[in-house]
Amino acid sequence: MLRNNLSVLLTERQLRISKVSNDTGISRTTLTSLSSNSSKMVQMETVNKLCQALDIVPTDFFEYVPFDFDYTFIEGDLIPDSDYANGKPETHEASLFINVSENNNRIDSIELQGYTEFLGHYDEDSILIGTSLLPSDAGQLKKLNTYLNKMSVSFVSDIKKDIEGVVESALNKDSKIKVEPDLLIDFDETKEQYFTKIKNRNSNH
């Protein structure tokens, strides 16, 4: 995977995109897309101008890890709960698989588990779905961290944004009304550890 560090570089130098756009002649739209790592292509001339303007070399601009991630999100069965009859929002099982590839060959798969839950109307045209995803067990957490430990904090943040996009797309695929996900992704603890913590916190109140 390859990402650019423009957002980090601008933050470190306390530079606004409008200032960089004025100094380099690169459009605000292009810079905004680059800073969010949503651009799939970067022109060499753009990199050249940014390296000159920021006084960096291309290896400062890019960050690379020798593997790729792709994602599969699955909303599963309804979790049985007698409280649904009393108005509790229906909750479904959810799984997300992080598939790891090298040279276009899958070498690993890591499972995150959690749930989806209806939280109400986001606005008159959309609904809010709460979604929680965490490594399914200690083995999956350890395996995930062997990859995340090779990435910067910004790179990991981009991974979470990618997952959010995959979840939003999946939830909207068969929905007749727009779904806005309220997403919790935690790479620091397992699903069991998280729910035990929440249970203990609630019992102490």
Side-chain angles (χ1 to χ4, degrees):
M1 285 184 289
L2 184 68
R3 72 178 298 279
N4 74 73
N5 290 318
L6 181 58
S7 178
V8 175
L9 292 164
L10 295 182
T11 300
E12 289 176 348
R13 289 160 172 74
Q14 297 184 327
L15 289 172
R16 291 176 291 113
I17 284 178
S18 56
K19 174 73 165 60
V20 178
S21 177
N22 180 68
D23 292 346
T24 62
I26 302 169
S27 72
R28 282 179 52 88
T29 301
T30 297
L31 291 172
T32 299
S33 180
L34 283 174
S35 67
S36 65
N37 269 279
S38 58
S39 178
K40 299 300 182 183
M41 297 180 61
V42 185
Q43 293 186 357
M44 296 292 289
E45 181 60 24
T46 299
V47 176
N48 182 55
K49 288 180 179 179
L50 287 170
C51 285
Q52 291 178 1
L54 300 174
D55 192 24
I56 58 172
V57 295
T59 51
D60 297 323
F61 185 75
F62 290 107
E63 181 178 351
Y64 171 75
V65 291
F67 48 82
D68 292 304
F69 283 172
D70 66 75
Y71 314 94
T72 302
F73 175 76
I74 301 170
E75 186 178 33
D77 295 332
L78 183 69
I79 299 173
D81 194 322
S82 59
D83 285 342
Y84 294 149
N86 300 321
K88 178 182 176 180
E90 291 188 349
T91 303
H92 290 257
E93 296 174 343
S95 296
L96 181 124
F97 294 90
I98 300 176
N99 301 309
V100 187
S101 300
E102 284 184 358
N103 299 319
N104 295 319
N105 295 312
R106 184 178 296 182
I107 60 169
D108 215 340
S109 186
I110 302 155
E111 185 176 7
L112 276 59
Q113 292 181 345
Y115 65 88
T116 62
E117 181 179 73
F118 175 73
L119 297 179
H121 288 272
Y122 184 76
D123 54 35
E124 61 181 20
D125 297 318
S126 60
I127 57 175
L128 189 64
I129 299 293
T131 306
S132 171
L133 293 167
L134 303 97
S136 56
D137 56 41
Q140 298 296 302
L141 176 61
K142 182 178 180 180
K143 191 161 54 169
L144 176 61
N145 280 320
T146 62
Y147 297 104
L148 298 186
N149 289 340
K150 299 174 184 177
M151 303 177 186
S152 68
V153 172
S154 297
F155 211 143
V156 174
S157 178
D158 284 343
I159 295 297
K160 291 182 178 180
K161 289 178 185 176
D162 290 343
I163 291 174
E164 184 172 358
V166 168
V167 172
E168 181 174 3
S169 177
L171 291 176
N172 276 286
K173 184 177 180 181
D174 298 316
S175 177
K176 295 180 180 179
I177 186 170
K178 180 170 174 54
V179 174
E180 298 285 351
D182 181 11
L183 187 59
L184 166 70
I185 308 172
D186 196 330
F187 293 155
D188 298 322
E189 57 188 350
T190 67
K191 180 182 71 170
E192 182 179 355
Q193 289 170 333
Y194 173 77
F195 285 114
T196 298
K197 180 177 68 178
I198 296 300
K199 183 178 179 180
N200 291 339
R201 183 185 299 165
N202 292 338
S203 65
N204 291 330
H205 283 69

